Amino acid sequence: MRAVVISRYAPGFDHLSIEERPEPKPRRGEVVVRIAASPINPSDLSFVQGMYGIRKTPPVVPGFEASGVITAVGEGVDTARIGERVACFAGDAYGTWAEFMATSQRAALPVPDSVSLEQASMMLVNPLTAWALIEKARTAGVPAVVQTAAASALGGMIRRLAARHGIAVIDIVRREEQAAALRSEGAAHVLNSTAEDFDSALREQCRSLGAALGFDAVGGDLTDRVL
């Protein structure tokens, strides 16, 4: 099979190559997926540069999520799963930027016919993160939350789920054009972290809306300011 491979962790992307590698064989409890599509998320880009919280021993195939069809199963897995359309997370030894990948059967989730494989390839990392974060807000019973990187795909999902559950969101972005775009989409509480009055405006909105929970995807100085 063909696969994208990194031989080391390094800045940039010149150390990525396309190689021929053996097609994986499923171990006990695993399935092999013929990959249909795999997105490039910010976490993937951080991973290939060695800046992500997860590292695998190089040479390694990157990619954290994908979709495809199960072509083989290991011991302990129902053979009826062969031919099943799935959304999947990467396995311990394999990444999703390849023609085939072995992963745990529990990391390969069935996809209904109403969802295309292209859609399914992006079903896990961002949507499940948004779902988990909003569940935290619901469990905590907060009326409002703060989120950084609000112009991202994840930010949009958090905003839509929060609206469904009646939770206000204070959206923080870094550029005025991002703020304008969110307001045009109906976002009610948008702040630009580069504005001179950002800290006072954030404090005022947190107090008026009752925000006591924050979701931060940026880190550094901005985390301190939000806290």
Side-chain angles (χ1 to χ4, degrees), residues 70-181:
I70 294 176
T71 59
V73 299
E75 185 181 352
V77 182
D78 190 345
T79 56
R81 297 205 68 183
I82 294 175
E84 186 176 76
R85 301 164 75 250
V86 295
C88 51
F89 282 121
D92 294 336
Y94 299 93
T96 59
W97 293 0
E99 291 183 300
F100 293 88
M101 178 188 70
T103 191
S104 165
Q105 64 167 330
R106 300 172 71 178
L109 310 181
V111 173
D113 292 338
S114 58
V115 176
S116 72
L117 286 177
E118 184 176 8
Q119 292 170 326
S121 72
M122 298 172 279
M123 196 174 82
L124 302 180
V125 169
N126 282 329
L128 291 187
T129 298
W131 195 343
L133 293 177
I134 292 301
E135 281 301 302
K136 285 182 177 293
R138 294 181 65 196
T139 300
V142 297
V145 298
V146 178
Q147 69 163 339
T148 62
S152 65
L154 176 60
M157 294 176 191
I158 288 174
R159 198 158 40 251
R160 290 190 291 273
L161 281 174
R164 181 182 300 177
H165 296 293
I167 299 170
V169 177
I170 301 171
D171 292 307
I172 298 176
V173 295
R174 288 190 273 189
R175 298 194 301 274
E176 191 53 43
E177 56 266 32
Q178 293 175 320

Side-chain angles (χ1 to χ4, degrees), residues 141-223:
V142 297
V145 298
V146 178
Q147 69 163 339
T148 62
S152 65
L154 176 60
M157 294 176 191
I158 288 174
R159 198 158 40 251
R160 290 190 291 273
L161 281 174
R164 181 182 300 177
H165 296 293
I167 299 170
V169 177
I170 301 171
D171 292 307
I172 298 176
V173 295
R174 288 190 273 189
R175 298 194 301 274
E176 191 53 43
E177 56 266 32
Q178 293 175 320
L182 292 191
R183 293 187 187 107
S184 70
E185 295 170 5
H189 313 287
V190 185
L191 299 176
N192 180 353
S193 63
T194 64
E196 290 186 2
D197 65 343
F198 168 71
D199 293 280
S200 59
L202 176 60
R203 187 178 300 111
E204 180 181 343
Q205 289 207 5
C206 285
R207 288 175 175 171
S208 64
L209 295 172
L213 186 63
F215 306 140
D216 177 44
V218 177
D221 176 65
L222 185 58
T223 305

